Amino acid sequence: MEAYPDPLAVPDRIPRPDYVPESFWSDPWSEVVALEDLEGEGPLIQLGGEEEKAVRRVGKMAAEVMSGIGRFIQPGITTEELDAKVHEFIIERGAYPSPLGYSSFPKSCTTSVNNVIAHGIPDGRLLHPEDVINIDLTLFLNGYHGDTSKTFMLPAVDKLGRDLVEATREALELGIRACGPGKKFSGIGNAIEDFAKRHGFSVNSQFSGHGIGRNFHQKPWILHNRKLLCLPGLVEPEVMLPGHCFTIEPCLVQGLNARGSLWDDGWTMSTETGARSAQFEHQVLITESGVDVLTRRAEESV
């Protein structure tokens, strides 16, 4: 099985992010755009104008795609087939799948199964009735990105697995409730880690949420735990301001050790202990009066 399969085609009529090189489909490794040149500190979203409309539209579209792919998650389907469906749903909306070509990433979404914490590359693996799977997808439309992820449970997942998934969903909601103009960014991680510990889970600190808008990833970096040390050079801003747009995407792991190790493919991160992990993600916008969840799904209960 190839770790880096051929990327799916994108019609020329669909604009691509700046980080996707012209040679990506002919030779994915011939050129890699330096991400540090594209993903610095992005500006706040201008509320009440075209920027806000654009970021709300792409967030809603990401939610629609996530709702659509959920209908196909069943035993016997491969993660590569799920990726193809995500790709199809995004393209038919006139948008671009943001992960495709991001630092040569070969697929249109990530699929992280069981003990994979994040960034799993879709492949020929069949889903089993006992699996949990996270799908993380992002769309690029009219110059803005919309980013969301959800962990799905297959029919025969045991109670421990269901408890993990439900706790992770609740942790995300607690992180969202900690948001608002003038509130400290540190309140997000405090709320998530306190909740996770009370329920016997640990929070992975190798991944963070991130600012998003015209850039796929940018400051502010969103910590999901209390520790100040997470990623090298990671510094939290102090408070949230109207126009801040960012993701909250905690990864919870069963047990006390949430650390992961990187696979040889350069992307997939799995737990050191083999314990299962789950992740949920929403993109939020700080408004003058509170926080709006841009990627809330129509069928989702809070």
Side-chain angles (χ1 to χ4, degrees):
M1 186 181 298
E2 294 182 349
Y4 290 97
D6 291 336
L8 297 172
V10 177
D12 291 338
R13 59 181 170 80
I14 295 179
R16 305 168 187 173
D18 291 340
Y19 54 73
V20 181
E22 292 293 330
S23 61
F24 178 65
W25 279 268
S26 60
D27 186 0
W29 289 101
S30 65
E31 178 185 0
V32 178
V33 176
L35 299 181
E36 60 268 21
D37 295 338
L38 300 173
E39 302 186 341
E41 187 165 3
L44 300 178
I45 298 296
Q46 183 179 359
L47 300 179
E50 293 303 315
E51 287 187 341
E52 182 179 356
K53 289 180 182 178
V55 77
R56 286 184 181 276
R57 182 184 179 194
V58 72
K60 181 180 179 181
M61 194 173 288
E64 293 170 353
V65 173
M66 185 64 75
S67 295
I69 196 59
R71 297 193 294 269
F72 293 88
I73 296 176
Q74 59 188 350
I77 195 169
T78 69
T79 54
E80 193 165 47
E81 288 171 330
L82 291 173
D83 175 78
K85 279 293 181 184
V86 168
H87 185 89
E88 175 187 338
F89 292 159
I90 294 174
I91 296 303
E92 69 184 15
R93 286 168 169 79
Y96 183 93
S98 302
L100 189 63
Y102 179 83
S103 194
S104 293
F105 191 79
K107 290 294 187 177
S108 297
C109 69
T110 68
T111 53
S112 302
V113 181
N114 294 334
N115 66 320
V116 174
I117 301 171
H119 297 170
I121 300 175
D123 57 20
R125 183 198 190 281
L126 295 171
L127 290 186
H128 300 287
E130 304 84 5
D131 288 337
V132 297
I133 176 174
N134 174 269
I135 293 185
D136 193 330
L137 60 88
T138 311
L139 285 68
F140 179 71
L141 180 74
N142 295 330
Y144 290 86
H145 297 270
D147 190 359
T148 188
S149 86
K150 177 182 177 180
T151 297
F152 297 86
M153 294 179 287
L154 278 290
V157 174
D158 61 16
K159 184 180 184 302
L160 290 176
R162 292 182 178 276
D163 289 347
L164 168 68
V165 173
E166 178 57 22
T168 308
R169 187 194 68 80
E170 290 186 41
L172 169 59
E173 294 300 332
L174 288 172
I176 293 170
R177 290 177 206 168
C179 295
K183 293 187 176 182
K184 292 186 177 181
F185 280 98
S186 58
I188 298 172
N190 293 347
I192 290 172
E193 185 167 52
D194 288 350
F195 174 82
K197 284 186 173 180
R198 287 199 306 271
H199 290 79
F201 302 111
S202 51
V203 182
N204 180 272
S205 62
Q206 294 162 286
F207 295 99
S208 70
H210 53 87
I212 188 169
R214 288 193 175 275
N215 294 329
F216 191 173
H217 303 95
Q218 62 187 29
K219 295 179 182 178
W221 307 112
I222 309 302
L223 301 183
H224 301 119
N225 60 351
R226 285 183 172 275
K227 297 177 182 178
L228 294 178
L229 180 61
C230 179
L231 299 174
L234 186 65
V235 178
E236 270 187 304
E238 183 69 17
V239 299
M240 304 172 206
L241 301 173
H244 265 133
C245 188
F246 54 89
T247 70
I248 306 173
E249 45 187 297
C251 300
L252 267 59
V253 176
Q254 293 172 322
L256 300 179
N257 179 10
R259 282 194 59 83
S261 57
L262 188 65
W263 290 11
D264 291 341
D265 63 21
W267 286 100
T268 307
M269 181 80 77
S270 63
T271 59
E272 290 181 342
T273 62
R276 285 173 295 187
S277 175
Q279 182 182 34
F280 282 82
E281 173 186 12
H282 273 313
Q283 181 172 332
V284 304
L285 176 66
I286 303 301
T287 66
E288 296 288 351
S289 59
V291 57
D292 286 352
V293 180
L294 305 184
T295 51
R296 182 76 75 194
R297 298 176 295 280
E299 76 280 6
E300 190 176 8
S301 61
V302 180

